[in-house]
């Protein structure tokens, strides 16, 4: 609609000025109608655009602050679990899960805990009631560790296998600052031809450096688990004092983090039918507590904080 180069002026110049004299009247009439039409539409559009979408009334105070809807975030335990799993996924491990209610067979027997062996006492097991009539191996219990997933994974997949298994475990422990009857573990298993203790050391050294920083060193301390032979506890240099000794590492310079070892040939016997022949293959396994790693990483001194659902605690990890 601009006077100089507007489209209406251009039409006017081309059509009206160029029209033969006897047609000027008709052309002028039509051009006028076009002009009115355009002007009406522009006016209507302007009115629509300039009217507020919500009518300001006495009910609505548009100067009030909006409603804050905080975004949900990953729980610190889930966050650590995923971090650990991702370290091993990057090494080519796949991820498996198993049930939280297991028969005695998977939690104990197939992991080389013989019936009535005292090593079972270390596991503070919660049993499902009313199972007395069943054979011991069929009796259900709440899994005390993620190690039964090792057996399930080997029954599901022939060697070679590389798998990590994150999950929830249960123990008959009284809750205090460092114990919870429900907690989480990440299990690992690698079986192939010629897997050695050096492979175990290299893999876990790499994993600890990924999780706690490249400055940490690892050491393998002799230990015992029925399903590995030899077995070890993995310790890392205290990432707080660098090994000098402080409150966190109880002045030892070392922090104990997880259990591991070479898969005991007796465990392979339980999965031999799926190709696990202890004379031809070997493997290593490891298991770590997710709460413990998270507490060390973030300097949390009470495990109960993870389960109380206090947003003031949880939002610090968002
Ligand atoms: N299952 C053991 C526990 O909860 C931890 C563990 C130790 C797992 C050694 C392993 C392993 O796979 O090789 O106490």
């Amino acid at each position: 609609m601009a006077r100089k180069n507007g489209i209406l002026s251009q039409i006017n110049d081309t059509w009206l000025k160029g029209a033969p004299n006897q047609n000027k009247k008709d052309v002028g009439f039509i051009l006028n109608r076009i002009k009115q039409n355009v002007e009406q539409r522009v006016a209507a559009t302007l009115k629509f655009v300039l009217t507020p979408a919500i009518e300001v009334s006495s009910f609505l105070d548009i100067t009030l602050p909006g409603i804050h809807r905080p975004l949900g975030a990953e729980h610190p335990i889930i966050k650590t679990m995923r971090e650990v799993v991702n370290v091993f996924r990057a090494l080519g491990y796949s991820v498996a899960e198993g049930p939280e209610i297991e028969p005695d067979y998977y939690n104990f027997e197939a992991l080389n805990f013989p019936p009535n062996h005292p090593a079972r006492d270390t596991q503070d097991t919660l049993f499902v009631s009313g199972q007395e009539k069943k054979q011991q191996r069929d009796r259900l219990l709440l899994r005390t560790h993620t190690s039964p997933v090792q057996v399930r994974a080997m029954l599901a997949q022939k060697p070679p296998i590389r798998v990590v298994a994150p999950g929830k475990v249960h123990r008959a422990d009284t809750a205090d600052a460092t114990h919870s009857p429900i907690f989480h573990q990440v299990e690992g298993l690698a079986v192939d031809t010629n897997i050695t203790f050096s492979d175990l050391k290299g893999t876990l050294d790499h994993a600890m450096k990924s999780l706690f920083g490249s400055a940490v060193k690892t050491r393998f301390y002799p230990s015992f688990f029925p399903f590995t032979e030899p077995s070890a506890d993995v310790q890392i240099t205290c990432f707080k004092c660098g090994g000098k000794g402080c409150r966190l590492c109880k002045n030892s310079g070392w922090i104990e983090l997880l259990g591991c070892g070479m898969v005991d040939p007796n465990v392979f016997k339980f999965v031999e039918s799926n190709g696990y022949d202890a004379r031809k293959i070997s493997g290593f396994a490891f298991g770590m507590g997710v709460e413990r790693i998270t507490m060390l990483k973030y300097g949390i001194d009470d495990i109960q904080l993870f389960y109380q659902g206090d947003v003031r605690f949880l939002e610090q990890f968002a």
Side-chain angles (χ1 to χ4, degrees), residues 123 144-147 150 171 185 187-188 225 227-228 232 258-261 285-288:
Q123 299 272 321
T144 59
H145 50 181
T146 42
S147 302
Q150 288 186 34
R171 303 245 176 132
Q185 293 186 334
E187 191 79 15
F225 300 100
F227 39 92
T228 44
L258 68 144
C260 67
F286 55 86
M288 57 189 103

Side-chain angles (χ1 to χ4, degrees), residues 258-309:
L258 68 144
C260 67
M262 302 305 291
V263 178
D264 193 303
N266 284 339
V267 173
F268 286 138
K269 275 195 199 136
F270 288 93
V271 291
E272 201 167 13
S273 60
N274 203 27
Y276 291 84
D277 180 345
R279 287 161 303 187
K280 295 185 185 144
I281 47 146
S282 56
F284 63 72
F286 55 86
M288 57 189 103
V290 180
E291 275 79 353
R292 182 165 162 72
I293 292 177
T294 313
M295 289 170 80
L296 287 167
K297 249 182 109 129
Y298 297 102
I300 297 163
D301 57 8
D302 186 352
I303 196 173
Q304 300 304 324
L305 287 165
F306 291 129
Y307 316 115
Q308 286 161 348

